[in-house]
């Protein structure tokens, strides 16, 4: 992007979004759970829905690519970074409860939503107590764990279209399936989700959350940055088991390693670049395919540009 174009874009953006909410050439590794990713041309951190809608309309009208970023816990951002606008939701984190309804803004951590539900003796979000994503990221892919999923308790949502129009999505329109939703299909920008929960016994809710946390702590390599399970579950198999049986645990490229603790995870053990990480994903896919004839499909999204030297 030329200096002149950048200045023009900034002047326009500042008409609807606070100056301090616009960062230029921002390293995305500072905003992703994986601690990887190159620079974003423009990194916007709106504090209100009005600012968010302004940014979305601005991107649409100026034909700028627009990428949404939650906690970056299901994303690998390539080392060449992301052109155009990256929209962060890190200042939209309110969670409120009224009766059985919990409303959470897109940037709120789903772990926090799960804790707030517990504080109000509401059951339904226990499964999410260890998923390190935001509400936006969880809704997009119908996040789930240990038999529970967003689908079970999401009632409705408020979104923006790519043109910046505000829409309320009813329960019937959600189309939540295995790692898919109407939000991903229609490229909506999620502003908030409304969850319908049920009254529960706080002791039982706590017991379940403690149990799930213990399972994660013992089975998952939480001590390193990662993007969780790298691959989708292939029909009739477990990705982690196939990787383990291919002898890949501990395989390493640069700072990326197939976890010794859970073969389904690739961890950033030391300053991994996205190039290391993606090369290791490909190595795992090739090895498993050679050995078992099964192509593992990534669950994580790989976005952004290659680094050009
Ligand atoms: C240790 C670990 C454990 C995990 N365990 C689980 C698990 O048990 N179950 C599970 O399902 N996942 C799990 N994950 C994966 C991940 O945490 C979830 O997929 C989570 O929902 C991603 O949320 P995020 O905010 O990090 O999204 P990001 O990774 O930031 O983004 C994911 C996608 O959502 C889009 N997006 C984000 N916010 C918005 C928005 N507001 N509007 C529109 N699009 C948006 C992004 O553009 C991107 O396409 C795990 C990850 C880790 C690292």
């Amino acid at each position: 992007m030329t200096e002149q174009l950048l200045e023009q874009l900034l002047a326009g953006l500042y008409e609807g979004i606070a100056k301090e909410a616009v960062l230029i050439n921002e390293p995305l590794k500072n905003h992703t759970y994986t601690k990887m990713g190159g620079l974003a041309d423009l990194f916007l951190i709106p504090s209100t829905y009005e600012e968010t809608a302004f940014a979305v309309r601005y991107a649409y009208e100026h034909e700028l690519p627009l990428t949404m970023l939650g906690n970056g816990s299901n994303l690998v951002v390539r080392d060449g970074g992301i052109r155009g606008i990256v929209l962060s939701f890190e200042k939209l984190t309110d969670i409120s409860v009224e009766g059985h309804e919990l409303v959470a803004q897109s940037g709120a951590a789903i772990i926090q939503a799960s804790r707030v539900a517990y504080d109000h003796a509401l059951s339904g979000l226990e499964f999410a107590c260890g998923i390190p994503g935001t509400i936006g990221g969880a809704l997009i892919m119908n996040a789930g764990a240990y038999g529970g999923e967003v689908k079970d308790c999401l009632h409705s949502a408020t979104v923006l279209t790519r043109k910046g129009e505000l829409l309320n999505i009813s329960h019937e329109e959600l189309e939540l399936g295995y790692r898919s939703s109407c939000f991903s299909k229609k490229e909506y920008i999620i502003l908030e989700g409304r969850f319908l929960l049920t009254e529960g016994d706080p002791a039982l809710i706590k017991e379940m959350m403690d149990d799930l946390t213990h399972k994660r702590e013992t089975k998952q390599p939480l001590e390193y940055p990662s993007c969780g399970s790298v691959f989708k579950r292939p029909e009739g198999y477990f990705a982690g088991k196939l990787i383990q049986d291919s002898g890949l645990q501990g395989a390493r490229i640069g700072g990326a390693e197939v976890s010794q603790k859970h073969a389904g995870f690739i961890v950033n053990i030391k300053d991994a670049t996205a190039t290391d990480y993606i090369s290791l994903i490909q190595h795992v896919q090739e090895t498993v395919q050679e050995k078992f004839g099964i192509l593992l499909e990534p669950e994580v999204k790989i976005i952004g540009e290659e680094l050009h030297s």
Side-chain angles (χ1 to χ4, degrees):
M1 196 181 293
T2 63
E3 283 273 302
Q4 201 189 0
L5 177 61
L6 180 63
E7 270 177 34
Q8 273 174 17
L9 289 175
L10 288 174
L13 273 173
Y14 295 152
E15 285 175 20
I17 184 161
K19 270 193 177 175
E20 58 275 16
V22 181
L23 307 181
I24 301 157
N25 287 332
E26 178 65 6
L28 290 167
K29 65 178 180 187
N30 296 345
H31 300 271
T32 51
Y33 190 83
T34 52
K35 307 278 177 254
M36 293 182 293
L39 307 182
D41 287 346
L42 292 169
F43 188 80
L44 307 190
I45 318 174
S47 312
T48 62
Y49 291 165
E50 289 71 27
E51 282 190 334
T52 313
F54 177 86
V56 171
R57 275 198 306 274
Y58 195 84
Y60 180 76
E61 282 161 12
H62 292 79
E63 295 181 7
L64 289 171
L66 176 70
T67 305
M68 273 54 73
L69 182 66
N71 197 30
S73 66
N74 200 42
L75 279 181
V76 180
V77 180
R78 291 194 183 92
D79 299 316
I82 300 184
R83 304 291 70 82
I85 292 179
V86 173
L87 196 55
S88 161
F89 297 85
E90 61 195 53
K91 289 214 175 126
L92 295 169
T93 57
D94 283 356
I95 301 175
S96 61
V97 174
E98 213 177 308
H100 290 176
E101 189 179 76
L102 182 146
V103 182
Q105 289 188 321
S106 54
I110 195 162
I111 292 179
Q112 187 57 21
S114 161
R115 286 183 193 141
V116 170
Y118 161 64
D119 290 342
H120 287 78
L122 291 173
S123 174
L125 275 171
E126 295 89 330
F127 75 90
C129 70
I131 300 179
T134 60
I135 292 293
L139 264 56
I140 276 280
M141 54 117 55
N142 182 27
Y146 301 110
E149 55 184 347
V150 163
K151 184 182 179 187
D152 302 336
C153 55
L154 183 68
H155 176 259
S156 53
T158 303
V159 303
L160 291 167
T161 64
R162 288 273 167 166
K163 291 184 183 174
E165 298 149 342
L166 192 73
L167 292 183
N168 277 312
I169 306 297
S170 70
H171 194 251
E172 293 68 38
E173 296 169 281
L174 295 171
E175 290 182 55
L176 296 167
Y178 177 59
R179 304 294 173 258
S180 70
S181 64
C182 77
F183 312 115
S184 54
K185 287 179 199 154
K186 299 194 172 152
E187 297 196 320
Y188 288 147
I189 294 117
I190 298 162
L191 293 180
E192 65 182 38
R194 289 179 288 280
F195 297 87
L196 204 52
L197 305 171
T198 53
E199 252 165 68
D201 176 344
L204 291 179
I205 296 172
K206 183 166 187 315
E207 191 180 305
M208 181 153 178
M209 286 168 71
D210 287 349
D211 181 42
L212 297 185
T213 304
H214 177 70
K215 281 194 176 123
R216 275 188 195 271
E217 284 171 355
T218 47
K219 294 201 175 123
Q220 298 184 355
L222 303 180
E223 59 281 23
Y224 293 113
S226 76
C227 46
S229 297
V230 176
F231 301 101
K232 287 186 183 165
R233 200 174 49 229
E235 190 87 38
Y237 298 91
F238 289 101
K241 176 92 171 69
L242 292 170
I243 297 167
Q244 194 177 359
D245 293 348
S246 301
L248 283 162
Q249 269 184 299
R252 207 167 150 176
I253 295 182
E257 184 180 281
V258 177
S259 167
Q260 312 260 8
K261 197 167 174 185
H262 187 315
F265 282 55
I266 294 180
V267 288
N268 175 355
I269 47 165
K270 196 171 188 303
D271 304 326
T273 60
T275 309
D276 297 337
Y277 207 88
I278 294 165
S279 304
L280 192 51
I281 290 178
Q282 286 163 352
H283 175 61
V284 169
Q285 283 177 310
E286 284 162 15
T287 311
V288 169
Q289 179 139 44
E290 255 169 46
K291 201 155 168 80
F292 296 106
I294 295 166
L295 177 64
L296 293 178
E297 194 192 332
E299 173 170 319
V300 301
K301 293 183 198 308
I302 301 174
I303 61 170
E305 297 196 351
E306 307 274 358
L307 190 61
H308 301 294
S309 50

